[in-house]
């Protein structure tokens, strides 16, 4: 009896970790875009543990010419940043962003979720329509939840594409985020004498999604 | 900074004018009044937290005044900011009026300082962000990608019941043939109704219903019967709807219809 | 040779081999097409030996999920051949057998071995080639012996797979006409348990078209 069941068990046994590592390696090499852990698990044979395989793989590629990087919930291979000089750049042209667009992007990244009015408040100038459009088109920002304040304004948050472009694991890894927060510079402070609503609004937003 | 020079050399009208003009030209380079204030504040060369908001307000107002003297049109938001700063300045200079409600000059000044500091911080954050390694510039994605090919395999199935029913159907074709209308000679009321609705507008005077039968349905008896019945039923329906009038002079006499004029 | 290059090497000091390997790795990773050795050398700092770096790199990727392969004069990373299955996503769609197919199958099951001409005679319509092919592909029918009549036509019989699928011991276990009638299968009313739609569909099919 035991002999009968043994071969069956081995049928359903997950492949050895070294094999799983090869599989993750192959799948990630085949894709230019980051692949989510869930998708890896779905594509690998039953019983595989993509997360564990990724951990092994990341170690293997440490210091190599290509590195395994995390982008939000997804993973991808990228060439090591110090070797950028070897690459031919004419194929990928980085669009020159306006100063307004860059600042707006930074404000969205650090203050997300943030409304248009808040962006304008921080910059002290109204936002031209093209700025948001451009960032949406680049797929660096997307709409977040509507703010639960009168008018239910839309909010903006950054995307995984943004994280991917700037080599960030998550929005928490934005440079200087902690210092800015500690200095109170990410607070939304209303103008003294202004209505209280605004404070409520930003506090609420913070509660809804601190991180996206 | 140019702005500083503009005010230091106020006694030299030509130099002042030039400097002011240079500043005006630069207005295009500013992202709004707050940006300009930040730029002026940097000229104070102190930590933004210890900036003299009063001095800043004076600098800004002096700039607006010189721009006005040069008859240069300024965007409305620059003027709004000037008005607000003038108000702030008066609040800061005058002793607080206890009867007056609202925030104190210090509160307003502190908020302006906060706004400037926050804008400055965001500028720095933006710069640090853009200085990061960027995809397509510093690091690169896989060039030779492989698409996941989606294979759709179709599998067919049938049950024993399907099989037996199929066989029964074939073997008993004659007796099993399900009841089906001989559609060749059937004209439904729905069809007639549809047809008559389209024609009704033209039936101003009494016409024989039989003349309404469609072509190909007037000669063959079976077809004529079917079409007549359908059109008669449809006529009754239209009468009920108030669109048509119907009459028959005598038993088996021709049936006449006409459009009902409301 | 070695002596000639030595002074040059020391002048420009080529990066260490491990570094050259990283460079080749990054370039090949990011390139959309295989890269020639000459091009590698041209893109790498002076004094580099792409061929040697490639040899090291090929060894490193031996047995991995992606392999370094030579394509003519050029080199490229490719998915390990045994992992090709990961690049496919298979979906199985289950469809009902067409009316023509099920009828043909029924005739073969009840009359086996049966020729094509006989099937056509029983159904009263000619048999499209696709129908028999489909049943052969499903491995529900196979060729039987040729009939010893003029023309020696092939015959069809049902397979073990057919019996398996329909839960039959043998084709002889199929109920006869009498039994079908007794079971209500000759009634035009929908069978208990059979879907109404289906019955409707087939009835309608009978009215409008003889063969699908």
């Amino acid at each position: 009896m035991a002999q009968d069941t043994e071969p069956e068990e081995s049928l359903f046994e997950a492949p050895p970790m070294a094999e799983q590592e090869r599989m993750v390696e192959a799948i990630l090499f085949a894709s230019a875009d980051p692949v989510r852990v869930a998708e890896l698990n779905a594509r690998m044979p039953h019983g595989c543990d993509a997360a564990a395989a990724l951990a092994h793989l990341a170690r293997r590629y440490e210091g190599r010419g290509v590195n395994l990087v995390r982008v939000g919930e997804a993973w991808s291979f990228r060439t090591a940043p110090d070797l950028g000089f070897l690459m031919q750049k004419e194929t990928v042209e980085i669009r020159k962003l306006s100063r307004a667009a860059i600042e707006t992007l930074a404000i969205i990244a650090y203050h997300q979720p943030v409304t248009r009015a808040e962006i304008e408040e921080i910059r002290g100038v109204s936002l031209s329509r093209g700025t948001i459009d451009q960032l949406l088109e680049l797929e660096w920002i997307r709409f977040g939840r509507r703010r639960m304040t009168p008018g239910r304004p839309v909010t903006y948050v950054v995307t995984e594409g943004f994280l991917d472009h700037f080599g960030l694991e998550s929005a928490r890894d934005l440079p200087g985020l902690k210092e800015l927060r500690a200095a109170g510079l990410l607070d939304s402070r209303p103008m003294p004498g202004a209505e209280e609503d605004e404070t409520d609004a930003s506090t609420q937003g913070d509660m809804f999604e601190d991180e996206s | 900074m140019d702005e500083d020079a503009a005010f230091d050399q106020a006694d030299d009208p030509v130099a002042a004018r030039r400097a002011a003009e240079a500043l005006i030209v630069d207005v295009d380079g500013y992202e709004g009044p707050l940006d300009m204030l930040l730029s002026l504040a940097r000229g104070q060369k102190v930590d933004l937290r210890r900036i003299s908001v009063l001095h800043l307000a004076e600098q800004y107002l002096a700039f607006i005044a010189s721009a006005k003297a040069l008859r240069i049109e300024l965007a409305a938001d620059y003027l709004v900011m000037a008005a607000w700063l003038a108000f702030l300045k008066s609040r800061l200079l005058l002793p607080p009026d206890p009867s007056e409600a609202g925030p104190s000059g210090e509160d307003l000044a502190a908020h302006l300082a906060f706004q400037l500091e926050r804008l400055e911080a965001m500028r720095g954050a933006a710069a640090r962000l853009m200085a990061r390694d960027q995809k397509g510039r510093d690091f690169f994605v896989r060039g030779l990608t492989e698409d996941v090919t989606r294979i759709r395999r179709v599998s067919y199935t049938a049950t024993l019941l399907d099989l037996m029913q199929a066989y029964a159907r074939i073997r008993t074709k004659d007796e099993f043939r399900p009841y089906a209308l001989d559609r060749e000679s059937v004209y439904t009321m729905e069809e007639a109704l549809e047809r008559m609705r389209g024609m009704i507008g033209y039936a101003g005077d009494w016409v024989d219903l039989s003349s309404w039968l469609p072509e190909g349905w007037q000669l063959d008896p079976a077809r004529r019967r079917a079409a007549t019945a359908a059109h008669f039923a449809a006529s009754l329906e239209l009468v009920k709807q108030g669109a048509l009038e119907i009459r028959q002079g005598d038993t088996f006499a021709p049936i006449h219809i006409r459009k009902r004029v409301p």
Side-chain angles (χ1 to χ4, degrees), chain A, chain B:
Chain A
M1 266 289 125
Q3 270 191 327
D4 277 346
T5 49
E6 246 171 36
E8 241 185 46
E9 258 175 32
S10 66
L11 264 178
F12 291 94
E13 219 169 84
M17 189 44 76
E19 207 44 34
Q20 295 187 34
E21 208 189 307
R22 288 182 73 230
M23 291 177 186
V24 171
E25 190 177 31
I27 293 172
L28 292 186
F29 249 77
S31 172
D33 296 317
V35 182
R36 287 169 174 268
V37 178
E39 158 111 31
L40 286 172
N41 275 324
R43 280 171 65 184
M44 287 159 70
H46 190 80
C48 283
D49 181 356
L54 279 164
H56 283 102
L57 201 61
R59 266 200 298 283
R60 183 181 291 274
Y61 276 89
E62 246 166 46
R64 311 270 333 132
V66 291
N67 304 141
L68 187 59
V69 299
R70 200 189 121 186
V71 182
E73 297 303 306
W75 293 78
S76 192
F77 277 117
R78 299 287 185 242
T79 62
D82 65 307
L83 298 177
F85 71 96
L86 290 169
M87 304 302 155
Q88 284 172 328
K89 288 163 199 187
E90 59 266 33
T91 46
V92 193
E93 196 181 307
I94 297 187
R95 224 158 106 194
K96 191 97 176 114
L97 283 179
S98 68
R99 191 174 140 190
I102 293 170
E103 280 181 23
T104 303
L105 179 65
I107 291 168
I108 294 170
Y110 284 81
H111 289 261
Q112 65 174 334
V114 65
T115 66
R116 182 188 198 92
E118 286 161 356
I119 297 168
E120 292 180 338
E121 221 266 314
I122 293 170
R123 295 192 63 234
V125 70
S126 63
L127 205 51
S128 72
R129 187 161 175 83
T131 307
I132 288 282
D133 287 358
Q134 195 182 13
L135 295 174
L136 284 169
E137 204 185 312
L138 282 166
E139 295 185 343
W140 283 353
I141 65 166
R142 62 176 175 83
F143 295 105
R145 290 196 191 158
R146 282 182 184 276
R147 190 60 61 73
M148 289 300 147
T149 52
R152 296 173 49 82
V154 296
T155 63
Y156 299 99
V157 295
V158 291
T159 62
E160 282 200 352
F162 164 86
L163 298 177
D164 185 26
H165 184 91
F166 291 99
L168 292 161
E169 285 201 7
S170 79
R172 253 162 281 195
D173 299 321
L174 284 164
L177 183 71
K178 268 186 203 138
E179 294 83 340
L180 289 171
R181 189 168 279 163
L185 289 169
L186 301 184
D187 302 347
S188 173
R189 253 185 247 174
M191 173 78 89
E195 280 167 51
E196 289 288 299
D197 284 355
E198 259 183 79
T199 334
D200 288 348
S202 51
T203 317
Q204 232 176 8
D206 237 27
M207 287 197 301
F208 274 133
E209 47 184 324
D210 204 10
E211 208 62 53
S212 72
Chain B
M1 286 218 114
D2 281 352
E3 307 89 71
D4 288 337
F7 303 106
D8 292 348
Q9 297 163 8
D11 47 327
D12 179 350
V14 178
R17 209 183 132 97
R18 259 200 210 128
E21 273 175 349
L23 185 59
I24 298 304
V25 173
D26 270 358
V27 169
D28 286 339
Y30 288 115
E31 301 263 336
L34 201 61
D35 184 32
M36 174 176 275
L37 275 170
L38 181 59
S39 183
L40 293 172
R42 283 206 202 98
Q44 291 191 12
K45 295 192 173 71
V46 291
D47 189 329
L48 279 178
R49 283 165 195 262
R50 283 182 295 153
I51 198 168
S52 162
V53 172
L54 183 61
H55 181 50
L56 191 62
E58 280 168 348
Q59 269 183 296
Y60 186 91
L61 291 169
F63 154 72
I64 295 294
S66 62
K68 270 188 187 150
L70 289 165
R71 294 168 184 273
I72 286 165
E73 291 227 9
L74 282 171
D77 47 352
Y78 284 86
L79 301 175
V80 169
M81 178 61 89
W84 187 79
L85 287 173
F87 163 74
L88 174 60
K89 189 181 151 187
S90 68
R91 277 265 166 131
L92 288 170
L93 291 175
L94 297 172
D97 180 355
S99 69
E100 204 171 340
S104 70
E106 276 72 27
D107 288 344
L108 293 173
H111 186 71
L112 180 62
F114 167 74
Q115 281 182 295
L116 292 174
E117 199 191 343
R118 184 173 61 182
L119 181 59
E120 170 108 321
M122 281 301 111
R123 292 268 158 83
R128 266 185 289 178
L129 189 63
M130 299 314 280
R132 283 189 69 85
D133 291 330
Q134 290 184 41
K135 189 170 85 176
R137 188 186 77 182
D138 305 291
F139 61 87
F140 295 81
V141 305
R142 176 76 167 129
L144 183 73
T145 57
E146 275 178 70
D147 285 334
V148 177
T149 47
R150 274 158 218 280
I151 298 174
R152 227 183 54 183
R153 207 158 55 81
V154 178
S155 162
Y156 289 92
T157 184
T159 65
L160 186 60
L161 194 65
D162 295 332
L163 189 80
M164 294 188 300
Q165 276 180 325
Y167 188 66
R169 199 162 54 222
I170 304 158
R171 293 310 295 180
T172 58
K173 254 183 190 159
D174 304 329
E175 54 179 295
F176 181 67
R177 185 174 179 272
Y179 173 71
L181 292 169
D182 190 354
R183 300 188 82 85
E184 283 278 287
S185 314
V186 170
Y187 205 95
T188 66
M189 191 194 86
E190 285 73 26
E191 285 173 276
L193 201 56
E194 183 106 333
R195 186 162 172 278
M196 289 184 77
R197 276 212 183 93
M199 292 167 67
I200 210 166
Y202 305 104
D205 210 352
W206 292 108
V207 270
D208 190 342
L209 182 63
S210 63
S211 69
W212 274 53
L213 299 188
E215 212 168 303
W217 293 79
Q218 294 155 345
L219 298 175
D220 178 69
R223 286 164 77 83
R224 194 179 63 221
R225 250 192 329 266
T228 306
H231 281 74
F232 179 62
S235 300
L236 291 178
E237 183 61 32
L238 289 168
V239 169
K240 203 167 114 193
Q241 289 172 13
L244 211 64
E245 287 177 292
I246 193 164
R247 73 171 187 196
Q248 187 176 28
D250 205 352
T251 316
F252 301 121
I255 296 164
H256 289 109
I257 55 167
R258 77 170 175 196
K259 182 182 169 187
R260 184 171 172 200
V261 188

